[in-house]
Amino acid sequence: MIQTPEPAQIKAAHYATAPTPPISSPGSPSSAAISNNTSRPPLAMSIINHHHILIVTGPAGCGKSTVAKGLSDRYGFDYIEGDDYHPESNVQKMSENIPLNDADRWDWLILLRDAALEALKRGAKGVVVTCSALKKKYRDVIRTARLYDENPNANVHFIYLQANQELLLARVAARQNHYMKDSMVLSQLQDLEEPDDDEINKIKDVKIIDVSVTQEQVAQRVAEVVDNLLNELA
Ligand SMILES: Nc1ncnc2c1ncn2[C@@H]1O[C@H](COP(=O)(O)OP(=O)(O)O)[C@@H](O)[C@H]1O
Ligand SMILES: O=C(O)[C@H](O)[C@@H](O)[C@H](O)[C@H](O)COP(=O)(O)O
Protein backbone atom coordinates (compact mmCIF):
# COMPACT_ATOMS: atom_id res chain seq x y z
CA MET A 1 0.00 0.00 0.00
CA ILE A 2 1.24 3.46 -0.78
CA GLN A 3 1.97 5.41 2.37
CA THR A 4 1.44 9.13 2.70
CA PRO A 5 4.02 10.98 4.78
CA GLU A 6 3.05 12.69 7.99
CA PRO A 7 3.60 16.45 7.70
CA ALA A 8 5.91 16.13 10.71
CA GLN A 9 8.15 13.84 8.71
CA ILE A 10 8.54 16.40 5.97
CA LYS A 11 9.26 19.17 8.45
CA ALA A 12 11.79 17.12 10.33
CA ALA A 13 13.54 16.20 7.14
CA HIS A 14 13.66 19.79 5.96
CA TYR A 15 15.53 20.89 9.05
CA ALA A 16 17.69 17.80 9.21
CA THR A 17 21.37 18.27 8.58
CA ALA A 18 22.29 17.30 5.05
CA PRO A 19 24.99 14.66 4.63
CA THR A 20 28.39 15.73 3.44
CA PRO A 21 27.47 16.92 0.00
CA PRO A 22 28.82 14.60 -2.70
CA ILE A 23 28.97 17.42 -5.18
CA SER A 24 31.36 16.75 -7.99
CA SER A 25 33.28 19.57 -9.45
CA PRO A 26 32.55 20.07 -13.12
CA GLY A 27 34.85 18.47 -15.63
CA SER A 28 34.44 14.72 -15.57
CA PRO A 29 35.56 12.96 -18.77
CA SER A 30 32.21 11.18 -19.28
CA SER A 31 30.52 14.46 -19.91
CA ALA A 32 32.44 15.20 -23.08
CA ALA A 33 29.48 14.66 -25.40
CA ILE A 34 27.23 17.46 -24.19
CA SER A 35 29.99 19.87 -23.39
CA ASN A 36 31.92 19.47 -26.66
CA ASN A 37 29.53 18.41 -29.37
CA THR A 38 27.59 21.61 -29.59
CA SER A 39 29.16 25.02 -29.83
CA ARG A 40 28.62 27.22 -26.80
CA PRO A 41 26.08 30.01 -27.25
CA PRO A 42 26.29 33.22 -25.22
CA LEU A 43 24.53 32.10 -22.06
CA ALA A 44 26.43 34.25 -19.64
CA MET A 45 23.62 36.72 -18.89
CA SER A 46 21.07 34.09 -17.96
CA ILE A 47 23.46 32.30 -15.69
CA ILE A 48 24.58 35.50 -14.01
CA ASN A 49 21.06 36.83 -13.47
CA HIS A 50 19.34 33.65 -12.35
CA HIS A 51 19.73 30.68 -10.09
CA HIS A 52 19.07 27.55 -12.10
CA ILE A 53 18.43 24.06 -10.77
CA LEU A 54 18.32 21.48 -13.58
CA ILE A 55 16.77 18.20 -12.46
CA VAL A 56 17.50 15.33 -14.85
CA THR A 57 14.73 12.77 -14.37
CA GLY A 58 13.50 9.37 -15.51
CA PRO A 59 13.75 5.70 -14.48
CA ALA A 60 17.01 3.82 -14.03
CA GLY A 61 18.99 3.50 -17.23
CA CYS A 62 17.45 6.43 -19.09
CA GLY A 63 20.81 8.23 -19.01
CA LYS A 64 20.43 10.70 -16.13
CA SER A 65 24.02 10.55 -14.89
CA THR A 66 25.46 10.71 -18.40
CA VAL A 67 23.35 13.72 -19.35
CA ALA A 68 23.79 15.50 -16.02
CA LYS A 69 27.59 15.32 -16.15
CA GLY A 70 27.48 16.82 -19.63
CA LEU A 71 25.24 19.67 -18.49
CA SER A 72 27.44 20.33 -15.49
CA ASP A 73 30.47 20.65 -17.75
CA ARG A 74 28.69 22.72 -20.36
CA TYR A 75 27.46 25.40 -17.97
CA GLY A 76 29.95 25.08 -15.13
CA PHE A 77 27.13 24.10 -12.77
CA ASP A 78 27.66 21.93 -9.68
CA TYR A 79 26.63 18.31 -10.06
CA ILE A 80 24.62 16.42 -7.47
CA GLU A 81 24.21 12.68 -7.99
CA GLY A 82 20.87 11.72 -6.48
CA ASP A 83 22.00 8.16 -5.78
CA ASP A 84 24.55 9.47 -3.28
CA TYR A 85 21.81 10.91 -1.07
CA HIS A 86 19.81 7.76 -0.39
CA PRO A 87 19.87 6.62 3.23
CA GLU A 88 21.49 3.24 3.76
CA SER A 89 18.04 1.70 4.30
CA ASN A 90 16.98 2.69 0.77
CA VAL A 91 20.17 1.35 -0.79
CA GLN A 92 19.66 -1.88 1.11
CA LYS A 93 16.10 -2.22 -0.17
CA MET A 94 17.05 -1.49 -3.77
CA SER A 95 19.97 -3.93 -3.57
CA GLU A 96 17.48 -6.60 -2.48
CA ASN A 97 15.16 -5.76 -5.37
CA ILE A 98 12.57 -4.26 -3.04
CA PRO A 99 10.98 -1.21 -4.64
CA LEU A 100 11.01 2.04 -2.68
CA ASN A 101 7.66 3.46 -1.60
CA ASP A 102 6.55 7.05 -1.02
CA ALA A 103 7.66 6.99 2.62
CA ASP A 104 11.15 5.88 1.60
CA ARG A 105 11.44 8.69 -0.91
CA TRP A 106 10.24 11.84 0.89
CA ASP A 107 13.34 12.52 2.95
CA TRP A 108 15.57 11.71 -0.03
CA LEU A 109 13.74 14.24 -2.21
CA ILE A 110 13.95 16.91 0.47
CA LEU A 111 17.66 16.27 0.96
CA LEU A 112 18.22 16.67 -2.77
CA ARG A 113 16.26 19.90 -2.87
CA ASP A 114 18.15 21.27 0.11
CA ALA A 115 21.52 20.15 -1.24
CA ALA A 116 20.82 22.08 -4.44
CA LEU A 117 19.88 25.17 -2.43
CA GLU A 118 23.01 24.82 -0.29
CA ALA A 119 25.16 24.68 -3.40
CA LEU A 120 23.57 27.88 -4.69
CA LYS A 121 24.04 29.53 -1.31
CA ARG A 122 27.73 28.60 -1.42
CA GLY A 123 28.00 30.43 -4.74
CA ALA A 124 27.41 27.80 -7.42
CA LYS A 125 26.36 29.35 -10.74
CA GLY A 126 23.71 26.67 -11.02
CA VAL A 127 23.16 23.05 -10.08
CA VAL A 128 22.40 19.87 -12.02
CA VAL A 129 20.73 17.10 -10.00
CA THR A 130 19.96 13.52 -11.03
CA CYS A 131 16.73 12.24 -9.52
CA SER A 132 14.29 9.72 -10.94
CA ALA A 133 11.38 11.95 -9.71
CA LEU A 134 8.94 9.32 -10.91
CA LYS A 135 5.72 10.93 -9.66
CA LYS A 136 4.27 14.38 -10.01
CA LYS A 137 4.17 14.84 -6.23
CA TYR A 138 7.90 14.09 -6.08
CA ARG A 139 8.55 16.79 -8.66
CA ASP A 140 6.36 19.10 -6.58
CA VAL A 141 8.68 18.60 -3.60
CA ILE A 142 11.63 19.76 -5.70
CA ARG A 143 9.58 22.64 -7.12
CA THR A 144 9.41 24.15 -3.63
CA ALA A 145 13.14 24.97 -3.95
CA ARG A 146 12.03 28.26 -5.42
CA LEU A 147 10.26 29.19 -2.17
CA TYR A 148 13.30 28.49 -0.03
CA ASP A 149 15.90 30.15 -2.22
CA GLU A 150 17.23 33.57 -1.47
CA ASN A 151 17.35 36.36 -4.01
CA PRO A 152 17.30 35.60 -6.92
CA ASN A 153 14.73 32.83 -6.57
CA ALA A 154 15.82 29.57 -8.15
CA ASN A 155 14.37 28.48 -11.47
CA VAL A 156 13.70 24.75 -11.34
CA HIS A 157 13.69 22.94 -14.69
CA PHE A 158 13.00 19.24 -15.19
CA ILE A 159 14.67 17.43 -18.08
CA TYR A 160 12.69 14.20 -18.44
CA LEU A 161 14.57 11.52 -20.38
CA GLN A 162 11.92 9.41 -22.09
CA ALA A 163 12.59 5.78 -22.94
CA ASN A 164 10.51 2.64 -23.29
CA GLN A 165 10.80 -0.45 -21.10
CA GLU A 166 12.89 -2.44 -23.55
CA LEU A 167 15.48 0.29 -23.86
CA LEU A 168 15.66 0.89 -20.09
CA LEU A 169 16.11 -2.81 -19.38
CA ALA A 170 18.89 -3.07 -21.93
CA ARG A 171 20.77 -0.06 -20.58
CA VAL A 172 20.46 -1.10 -16.94
CA ALA A 173 21.59 -4.61 -17.81
CA ALA A 174 24.66 -3.18 -19.54
CA ARG A 175 25.55 -0.97 -16.58
CA GLN A 176 28.19 -2.37 -14.24
CA ASN A 177 28.61 -2.05 -10.48
CA HIS A 178 25.26 -0.53 -9.61
CA TYR A 179 22.82 -1.70 -6.94
CA MET A 180 19.80 -1.22 -9.22
CA LYS A 181 19.09 -4.43 -11.11
CA ASP A 182 16.98 -4.52 -14.23
CA SER A 183 14.00 -6.06 -12.40
CA MET A 184 13.66 -2.79 -10.47
CA VAL A 185 12.94 -0.98 -13.72
CA LEU A 186 9.56 -2.73 -13.90
CA SER A 187 8.46 -1.43 -10.50
CA GLN A 188 9.74 2.03 -11.39
CA LEU A 189 7.63 1.97 -14.55
CA GLN A 190 4.57 1.04 -12.47
CA ASP A 191 5.15 4.12 -10.33
CA LEU A 192 6.08 6.38 -13.21
CA GLU A 193 3.84 9.37 -13.88
CA GLU A 194 5.23 11.05 -16.94
CA PRO A 195 5.01 14.87 -16.89
CA ASP A 196 1.38 15.78 -17.52
CA ASP A 197 -0.33 18.50 -19.50
CA ASP A 198 -0.39 20.89 -16.52
CA GLU A 199 3.33 20.55 -15.97
CA ILE A 200 4.15 20.94 -19.65
CA ASN A 201 1.72 23.72 -20.62
CA LYS A 202 0.83 25.56 -17.40
CA ILE A 203 3.76 25.27 -15.02
CA LYS A 204 6.02 24.98 -18.08
CA ASP A 205 9.06 23.73 -16.22
CA VAL A 206 9.45 20.36 -17.98
CA LYS A 207 11.31 19.45 -21.14
CA ILE A 208 10.95 15.96 -22.57
CA ILE A 209 13.85 14.39 -24.45
CA ASP A 210 13.51 11.15 -26.41
CA VAL A 211 16.64 9.18 -25.54
CA SER A 212 16.20 6.30 -28.00
CA VAL A 213 19.17 7.57 -29.98
CA THR A 214 22.93 7.59 -29.51
CA GLN A 215 24.57 9.27 -26.55
CA GLU A 216 25.93 11.98 -28.85
CA GLN A 217 22.47 12.67 -30.30
CA VAL A 218 20.93 12.83 -26.84
CA ALA A 219 23.69 15.24 -25.82
CA GLN A 220 22.96 17.43 -28.84
CA ARG A 221 19.19 17.49 -28.13
CA VAL A 222 19.64 18.25 -24.46
CA ALA A 223 22.15 21.02 -25.13
CA GLU A 224 19.80 22.70 -27.62
CA VAL A 225 16.82 22.51 -25.29
CA VAL A 226 18.68 23.73 -22.21
CA ASP A 227 20.52 26.48 -24.10
CA ASN A 228 17.14 27.75 -25.25
CA LEU A 229 15.51 27.69 -21.88
CA LEU A 230 18.43 29.45 -20.22
CA ASN A 231 18.44 32.06 -22.98
CA GLU A 232 14.67 32.57 -22.65
CA LEU A 233 15.23 33.59 -19.04
CA ALA A 234 18.17 35.87 -19.79
N1 LIG B 1 21.91 7.46 -25.43
C1 LIG B 1 22.53 6.37 -24.98
N2 LIG B 1 22.74 5.31 -25.78
C2 LIG B 1 23.33 4.18 -25.33
N3 LIG B 1 23.75 3.99 -24.06
C3 LIG B 1 23.57 4.99 -23.19
C4 LIG B 1 22.95 6.23 -23.59
N4 LIG B 1 22.91 7.03 -22.49
C5 LIG B 1 23.46 6.33 -21.48
N5 LIG B 1 23.87 5.12 -21.89
C6 LIG B 1 24.46 4.05 -21.08
O1 LIG B 1 23.37 3.45 -20.38
C7 LIG B 1 23.74 3.15 -19.04
C8 LIG B 1 22.84 3.91 -18.08
O2 LIG B 1 23.15 5.30 -18.17
P1 LIG B 1 23.16 6.21 -16.88
O3 LIG B 1 23.59 7.57 -17.28
O4 LIG B 1 23.89 5.54 -15.77
O5 LIG B 1 21.57 6.22 -16.55
P2 LIG B 1 20.82 6.56 -15.18
O6 LIG B 1 21.70 7.51 -14.43
O7 LIG B 1 19.54 7.19 -15.62
O8 LIG B 1 20.57 5.27 -14.50
C9 LIG B 1 25.21 3.51 -18.91
O9 LIG B 1 25.96 2.34 -19.14
C10 LIG B 1 25.42 4.54 -20.02
O10 LIG B 1 26.75 4.54 -20.48
O1 LIG C 1 19.78 5.62 -11.94
C1 LIG C 1 19.21 4.72 -11.34
O2 LIG C 1 19.53 3.54 -11.36
C2 LIG C 1 18.04 5.06 -10.49
O3 LIG C 1 17.72 6.38 -10.65
C3 LIG C 1 18.40 4.74 -9.06
O4 LIG C 1 19.75 4.76 -8.91
C4 LIG C 1 17.78 5.66 -8.07
O5 LIG C 1 18.45 5.76 -6.91
C5 LIG C 1 16.47 5.20 -7.83
O6 LIG C 1 15.84 5.52 -8.99
C6 LIG C 1 15.76 5.83 -6.66
O7 LIG C 1 14.67 5.14 -6.42
P1 LIG C 1 13.32 5.38 -7.22
O8 LIG C 1 13.68 5.75 -8.61
O9 LIG C 1 12.66 4.07 -7.13
O10 LIG C 1 12.64 6.50 -6.52
Side-chain angles (χ1 to χ4, degrees), residues 134 136 139 160 162-163 192-196 199:
L134 299 174
K136 184 176 184 181
R139 295 187 287 278
Y160 170 57
Q162 191 172 47
L192 179 65
E193 296 166 4
E194 290 199 311
D196 66 17
E199 296 178 274

Side-chain angles (χ1 to χ4, degrees), residues 19-26 72 77-81 84-85 114-120 122 124 126-128:
T20 308
I23 297 173
S24 318
S25 57
S72 165
F77 287 3
D78 279 9
Y79 170 55
I80 295 178
E81 172 58 56
D84 294 340
Y85 281 79
D114 290 352
L117 289 172
E118 274 301 313
L120 292 175
R122 283 198 303 268
V127 190
V128 190

Side-chain angles (χ1 to χ4, degrees), residues 60 64 83 86 100 105 108 132 175 178-180 188:
K64 295 184 295 297
D83 279 354
H86 278 297
L100 301 184
R105 290 172 177 137
W108 172 59
S132 47
R175 193 171 59 174
H178 198 286
Y179 53 73
M180 287 286 281
Q188 284 191 315

Side-chain angles (χ1 to χ4, degrees), residues 85-103:
Y85 281 79
H86 278 297
E88 189 50 42
S89 54
N90 283 3
V91 175
Q92 185 69 29
K93 276 183 94 168
M94 291 188 275
S95 309
E96 292 170 9
N97 286 332
I98 303 169
L100 301 184
N101 57 33
D102 286 356

Side-chain angles (χ1 to χ4, degrees), residues 106-127:
W106 294 125
D107 287 0
W108 172 59
L109 292 162
I110 289 166
L111 277 178
L112 286 179
R113 179 198 68 188
D114 290 352
L117 289 172
E118 274 301 313
L120 292 175
K121 212 189 257 182
R122 283 198 303 268
K125 285 203 287 180
V127 190

Side-chain angles (χ1 to χ4, degrees), residues 58-67 171-172 174-175 211 213-215 218:
C62 67
K64 295 184 295 297
S65 302
T66 309
V67 163
R171 290 191 186 159
V172 169
R175 193 171 59 174
V211 294
V213 290
T214 66
Q215 217 162 296
V218 170

